[in-house]
Amino acid sequence: MKKKHVILIIILMLSAGAGYYGYKEFTREHESLNETKADIAMPSSELIAAFTNDENKANAQFLDKIISVRGVVKSVQKDDKGLYTVFLGSEGEMSSVSCQVDDKESATVQNLKPGDKVTFKGVCTGMLMDVVLIRCVLQK
Amino acid sequence: MKNLFLSVILITLTVSFALGQTQRYFTKTGNISFFSKMPVENIEAHNRSATCVLDASTGKIEFAVLMKGFEFEKALMQEHFNENYVESSKYPKATFKGTIANPAAVNWKKDGTYSVTVSGDMTIKDRTNKVSAPGTITVKAGKVTAVSTFKLLLADYDIKIPGAVKDKISETIDIKVNVELAPMN
């Protein structure tokens, strides 16, 4: 009788644990990249060159990777919702690295100006006109 | 008389040059989102790094978007979207190449909101289909905003819904496009 109770309690605890885990997993939100280490660190010009030279190879190498990219601010854009995108590169180059700044990090980039030397950490999503990094955070 | 003749030619040339000049507009930070109502939870994702190039003289309009740039509130949903539904590592981009069916309806030089119909080829997961959608173009202080909402059938792009969630996920999805374009020099 007592043994049965113990087993029942264990089963209940296990299923509660599984349910809790499932719920947590299902509702999990994105972590800020502030807490995450970069997979690769490189200058913006190298990242752009990798994609312009061989896009398929660059996709295989960089997609979904957290990249810490350093470069010079070419321009800063703020959209109507107050979200920022910071472009790294030089005036002469066709392409830049487009750093889509994390919603929660807007305040950290609002004073950036063209010419500033910065390092952004973000997740690489590929290349259109620019190489795009999303969820970017400014590194100190 | 000769002078008058010359002036007429000059004016004609100037006018035709002004009309024939191709004015192009573009953005690298266009918004594209999709939305689908589900009984338990809505599926919603936003992408704010779509590119769009619009040629005002021909009405040609092209969009490109990186599939991995669609952000969901829930991380797990985003992982499922990328891995199981759109296979974004294999097919990183989606594109649309089309034309405004009635470009004459838009006065690019005058502030206002104009109704247009855009049709062309939508490519997702390497599958291309004809798509036609209504939209509006707003001209304001030299900037052009293009907005459209339309539906896509997932099966057209080989996006398969797993059996277990088949009756929970809608077969069509609402796409919302909102791009603010600046003149390209």
Side-chain angles (χ1 to χ4, degrees):
Chain A
M1 190 60 186
K2 235 183 171 177
K3 207 174 170 187
K4 255 190 186 164
H5 275 155
V6 173
I7 292 169
L8 197 67
I9 286 168
I10 289 174
I11 290 173
L12 273 176
M13 279 170 68
L14 281 177
S15 46
Y20 179 70
Y21 173 79
Y23 174 76
K24 283 296 267 189
E25 181 61 9
F26 189 71
T27 56
R28 174 168 56 94
E29 295 193 4
H30 300 278
E31 277 177 62
S32 159
L33 293 185
N34 277 324
E35 319 302 328
T36 324
K37 262 191 104 175
D39 299 308
I40 310 159
M42 63 200 315
S44 63
S45 54
E46 255 176 54
L47 185 61
I48 295 165
F51 273 93
T52 3
N53 292 341
D54 187 343
E55 193 174 343
N56 288 331
K57 194 177 147 200
N59 277 337
Q61 195 178 350
F62 298 115
L63 288 190
D64 291 326
K65 293 284 188 297
I66 300 169
I67 304 179
S68 166
V69 60
R70 46 186 192 279
V72 178
V73 175
K74 196 172 174 182
S75 64
V76 179
Q77 252 188 51
K78 185 185 178 189
D79 72 7
D80 51 0
K81 292 189 199 86
L83 303 175
Y84 285 87
T85 304
V86 179
F87 297 89
L88 305 183
S90 54
E91 271 313 317
E93 286 174 325
M94 264 279 285
S95 300
S96 356
V97 174
S98 157
C99 302
Q100 191 177 302
V101 179
D102 189 305
D103 314 12
K104 298 178 186 79
E105 299 284 324
S106 297
T108 64
V109 299
Q110 60 187 357
N111 293 325
L112 286 184
K113 280 173 197 60
D116 288 352
K117 284 191 181 126
V118 292
T119 304
F120 273 103
K121 191 161 53 172
V123 179
C124 185
T125 62
M127 183 181 198
L128 294 172
M129 294 180 203
D130 291 343
V131 179
V132 179
L133 301 185
I134 64 168
R135 293 167 56 202
C136 288
V137 298
L138 189 63
Q139 283 180 284
K140 302 287 160 341
Chain B
M1 193 61 195
K2 205 177 171 186
N3 268 340
L4 182 69
F5 185 65
L6 267 176
S7 329
V8 169
I9 289 186
L10 257 175
I11 290 168
T12 317
L13 273 176
T14 318
V15 169
S16 58
F17 177 72
L19 287 176
Q21 203 181 25
T22 51
Q23 178 61 67
R24 301 212 289 169
Y25 298 89
F26 91 113
T27 184
K28 294 174 177 179
T29 52
N31 288 295
I32 295 183
S33 44
F34 62 80
F35 187 84
S36 180
K37 251 196 154 96
M38 281 203 341
V40 189
E41 195 176 15
N42 293 329
I43 299 176
E44 188 179 351
H46 301 272
N47 189 312
R48 54 185 172 99
S49 52
T51 60
C52 174
V53 179
L54 166 69
D55 187 324
S57 53
T58 60
K60 272 208 171 103
I61 186 163
E62 292 194 8
F63 291 89
V65 68
L66 292 165
M67 298 308 275
K68 287 184 188 290
F70 281 101
E71 296 186 84
F72 295 68
E73 196 188 330
K74 304 282 186 284
L76 188 70
M77 214 185 255
Q78 188 162 328
E79 287 159 21
H80 286 170
F81 167 77
N82 282 295
E83 288 160 22
N84 309 339
Y85 292 84
V86 297
E87 300 173 74
S88 60
S89 292
K90 210 165 151 195
Y91 311 103
K93 288 176 200 174
T95 58
F96 175 80
K97 291 177 184 182
T99 45
I100 299 169
N102 51 335
V106 185
N107 184 345
W108 304 96
K109 301 251 162 1
K110 195 176 162 220
D111 285 6
T113 298
Y114 309 94
S115 292
V116 292
T117 304
V118 174
S119 27
D121 295 325
M122 177 79 72
T123 306
I124 302 170
K125 283 186 86 178
D126 268 357
R127 263 83 175 171
T128 303
N129 290 286
K130 293 264 176 246
V131 168
S132 186
T136 60
I137 285 185
T138 304
V139 178
K140 200 180 172 192
K143 283 201 167 178
V144 168
T145 308
V147 177
S148 177
T149 306
F150 57 96
K151 284 179 193 300
L152 286 185
L153 185 63
L154 297 181
D156 282 348
Y157 302 94
D158 194 38
I159 297 169
K160 296 182 197 90
I161 303 165
V165 288
K166 198 138 211 160
D167 37 317
K168 293 195 191 76
I169 294 180
S170 159
E171 287 172 355
T172 60
I173 198 144
D174 292 330
I175 314 279
K176 226 172 158 177
V177 177
N178 187 336
V179 291
E180 193 187 297
L181 308 161
M184 179 157 67
N185 302 313

